[in-house]
Amino acid sequence: MNKNYETAKQTYAAFGVDTDAAIAALKTVPVSVHCWQGDDVLGFEGAESLSGGIQTTGNYPGRARTPEELMADYAFALSLMPGTKRINIHASYAFLGKDKGKIDRDGYRPEHFAPWVKFAKEHGVEGIDFNPTFFAHPRMKDGLTLSSPDEKTRKFWVEHGRRCMEIAAYLGKEMNSQCLVNIWIPDGYKDIPADRLSPRLRYAQSLDEMLEGYDKKWVLPAVESKVFGIGVESYTVGSNEFCQNYAATRGICSLLDNGHYHPTEVVSDKIPSMLAFHEKVALHVSRPVRWDSDHVVIFEDELKEIMKEVVRNDALGRVKIALDYFDASINRVFAWVTGQRSVEKALLYAMLLPNGEMKTAQEQGDFTRLMYLQERVKMLPFSDVWEEYLAQQNLDENYYEPIMEYEKKVMENRK
Ligand code: RNT
Ligand code: ZN
């Protein structure tokens, strides 16, 4: 054990904080790591660009171009991430094999995801989460999927959703860990619509059809809302109110992506409101810069606030944490690892706060002491505890060099 850690441990103990307990607790918190950071959300279906209001920017060399390359990069990234990990797969990352070109998204089956189960088991991850892919596909009509007025289109996407619920049950069973299925649709209008209700009623109906009879033991469905996307600036069908009411009335989960709200709204404040009424709530941890830009998550204030709400409300078992960002302007493995490590740091930071004492100060109306404590803890030797956490898992702060080596040896050859 390093000397700095011993000193840090005593410093925190003076505030009534047990650093050993925090380290042990953090090791068990699952964080779901998205597969789509590795290839700019393109998937295995041959897509050359993204659509549905989301966008990756940058052209840093070395993008994974094949399933093999993506899996290699994913495995390498996971090896540099501390803690308990899950993998998070989009339907567009199916291994279609001989079915390629013969079946469409309404025909995907569990077997097309068997390689992901193998991958998950080989890399010691806790479970697999899943996402139907309702974007970047020719069957979107006028930018709509589950809310389409065209019955053939709507049915196609409902069927895709139903297939995904079956795939998720398979993934849950195989991994012996409930699979979170996140439902996000890009549906919306660029300009002022004449009817804002009908698309929402159709979306609700489609969700009901898609979720009918799903395997409650192995699958936990969630709906993700959004305020706007590129090309759908005026109206999105799956708004916040729509998704929250849908989730509440159907007894499913609501997923909050911190890039999906008006700029002065914060997800940290939404978490306790959700916890007051829901057993579970899901997160997409992202970093919006001026818009839903999906920048790499870094260790900044709102991330700390989000994890404080998870930790101090004893909600580690109730809040499902997943990552959602995609940056193509820097080394993609570095982006992956930095975002995951930032979430881990924020969790540890929250666990090392004298939360009980601060709460007492608040309840006693002693706001002077509350501010004193809140400011005081900012300068405690957090980094020594973080490095100890890494060291106990044979990791350290230098993850830059190994990634640069990997870039030279592996990624630079992808031309
Ligand atoms: C889009 C949503 C959604 C996607 C992923 C790829 O704005 O955040 O979660 O990022 O499904
Ligand atoms: Zn998201």
Side-chain angles (χ1 to χ4, degrees), residues 15 305 308 312 349 353-355 358-359 362 367-379:
F15 285 85
E305 288 306 313
K308 280 187 208 170
R312 63 194 176 192
Y349 189 84
L353 296 174
N355 288 312
M358 296 200 293
K359 183 177 168 190
Q362 175 181 322
F367 303 118
T368 308
R369 179 151 182 83
L370 177 58
M371 187 182 283
Y372 167 71
L373 287 170
Q374 281 182 330
E375 287 307 294
R376 187 68 211 281
V377 294
K378 287 181 182 167
M379 303 300 276

Side-chain angles (χ1 to χ4, degrees), residues 36 41 54 90 135 182 184 224 226 257 260 284 292 324 326:
W36 53 92
V41 210
I54 53 177
H90 244 287
F135 53 85
N182 180 50
W184 169 72
E224 177 182 16
K226 187 161 172 171
D257 178 315
H260 289 194
H284 264 184
D292 180 32
D324 186 15
F326 24 97

